[in-house]
Amino acid sequence: MTRPPLPRWLLVAAAVAVLLAALPLAGMAVRVPWTRVPELLTSEAARDAAWLSLRTCAISTGLCILLGTPLAVLLSRSRGPLAAVARTITALPMVLPPVVAGLALLITFGRTGVVGRHLSVLGVEVGFTTAAVVIAQTFVAMPFLVVALEGALRSVDARLERTAASLGASPSRVLATVTLPLVLPALVAGATMSFARALGEFGATLTFAGSLQGTTRTLPLEIYLSREADTETALALAVLLIAVAAVLMVISALVARRAVVGRD
Amino acid sequence: MVAVVGLSTLVGCASGGDDDEGGDLTVFAAASLSGAFTKIAEQVERSEPGVSIRLSFGGSNGLVDQIAGGAPADVFASADVATMGRAVDAGLVAGEPAPFATNVLTLITPPGNPAGITGLDASLDGARLVVCADAVPCGSATRELAESAGVELRPVSEESAVTDVRGKVASGEADAGIVYVTDALAVADRVEQVPIAGADTAPNVYPIAVLDRAADSGPARRFVDAVTGPAGRAVLAEHGFGPP
């Protein structure tokens, strides 16, 4: 069954939308010193930043999976106003302005913070450490996994879970052998998006963790600093970040599509 | 494309580089000048009816990038000679930049100096020190000062802006920070100063210049004269700046 044709003005608006996304990238591509990119990326500061970003994002994504999966399962089974409030709160960091996220983390976990004050007494100080970077990344990236996973969990056929349970499987076993395998594509897609978000995390890291080479200066912070003195390095690092982000998005989209096909 | 053009008219500002005596004047200045320049601009507006001055404060390097990118600025004041040099090399400056103020570095601590910082010495060992990154003016000045004092600094963070250094000390997150005296004065109720011996032997010089696009602008030239003249110097001194 063919659908009726679309209005022509739609094409114009869509073209402007595509231009808005593509023009800044094209504009950057013109200015990037392509021949020097490999050499610029091997500077010690760039290597340290890339390695730190990779390490912290891997840990953050792991934490998102560990903590976010149980939360998504619980939310997918919850109804009512309380669940709606919980859903809103856990998704909020997704749309929180980065500086606000950093400020919130600082006045909570900072030295004089609500929680940080007590940690300080115990000799635990997260400010200015790599742990602060991981906390900031996990805080902003977790909702991406939870939202993606919860949607998939809601579409799982409850009869499969009931059948497994009636055959004597414990709740943990049902979750591990029936429920989670069914939503594995969504989990992978969500985790990929979380990783991408963690990789781009900037404002909260700067406010909460500071900026020190090899300890807290991730790729976005290195770009921010390089702009001051060395635009070429900033552009080369930006290319690296854009390339990785694009690959992650493609992976996420492919896996998510497989998830839809797999339901046939 | 119409939408894009419409947008640029919407966000574009009227330029102020005209020959007549009235009109708008746009001044780009280093963030550390915000208090002093706001006051000087008020004085100039009072003495020159019909001139309205717009001030834009930020990191000196970022301001040069904006001016090079076509931002409608008539006057530029930077936090160091090197950054003004970038503007001169890019052909953005009309005539010679004039030095108008100096600033020296100082240590700051949270109220009560909980870590017992006494200067650029062993008291910093194990303390959480925050400084400016080498790529920004206050950072290169910090590095030079530490080198001349023969001290190796081990900061926990190197910030891109002096205000970020100050904020991390004022909030108690850091035990000590290195900022300019003027930055410390601006929040005197929230930080304590620990002077650095020898800081005043190599003060940081602030230059100001009329930009190329405003070469024939009377108000731009008179603003620069006001800043470099006795009235401007008095305001700058109030804010902790030294004479050039």
Side-chain angles (χ1 to χ4, degrees), chain A residues 163-174:
Chain A
T163 306
S166 71
L167 293 171
S170 66
S172 296
R173 192 160 171 203
V174 174

Side-chain angles (χ1 to χ4, degrees), chain B:
Chain B
M1 278 330 285
V2 176
V4 177
V5 172
L7 194 69
S8 65
T9 354
L10 201 68
V11 296
C13 316
S15 77
D18 35 45
D19 300 353
D20 61 85
E21 297 305 271
D24 286 345
L25 180 69
T26 304
V27 177
F28 276 24
S32 47
L33 294 165
S34 63
F37 269 33
T38 303
K39 203 171 281 185
I40 293 171
E42 281 166 9
Q43 291 176 352
V44 172
E45 279 181 337
R46 268 202 301 274
S47 65
E48 294 212 30
V51 174
S52 95
I53 300 174
R54 273 197 309 262
L55 299 162
S56 175
F57 298 106
S60 303
N61 276 304
L63 293 175
V64 174
D65 291 343
Q66 287 177 32
I67 297 164
D74 305 310
V75 173
F76 174 52
S78 85
D80 69 345
V81 176
T83 313
M84 181 59 83
R86 276 188 61 209
V88 173
D89 293 345
L92 304 169
V93 171
E96 278 291 303
F100 67 94
T102 53
N103 210 344
V104 293
L105 292 170
T106 181
L107 272 159
I108 50 169
T109 71
N113 193 353
I117 305 297
T118 52
L120 280 192
D121 51 36
S123 68
L124 288 171
D125 290 349
R128 282 183 170 190
L129 171 71
V130 179
V131 298
C132 289
D134 207 8
V136 290
C138 59
S140 47
T142 301
R143 182 176 45 81
E144 282 162 21
L145 184 62
E147 278 170 6
S148 69
V151 182
E152 198 195 341
L153 300 177
R154 297 193 170 284
V156 292
S157 184
E158 296 165 347
E159 304 286 337
S160 298
V162 74
T163 43
D164 287 340
V165 175
R166 192 176 67 189
K168 285 186 161 76
V169 175
S171 68
E173 280 314 301
D175 299 316
I178 297 177
V179 299
Y180 288 114
V181 169
T182 55
D183 301 305
L185 264 184
V187 291
D189 52 334
R190 292 192 292 138
V191 299
E192 286 182 18
Q193 270 194 60
V194 179
I196 301 172
D200 49 1
T201 53
N204 186 47
V205 178
Y206 284 65
I208 188 167
V210 174
L211 292 169
D212 202 35
R213 63 188 295 282
D216 308 322
S217 159
R221 255 201 325 280
R222 284 195 293 279
F223 181 85
V224 172
D225 291 343
V227 169
T228 52
R233 189 148 304 168
V235 174
L236 287 158
E238 262 171 54
H239 285 84
F241 290 97

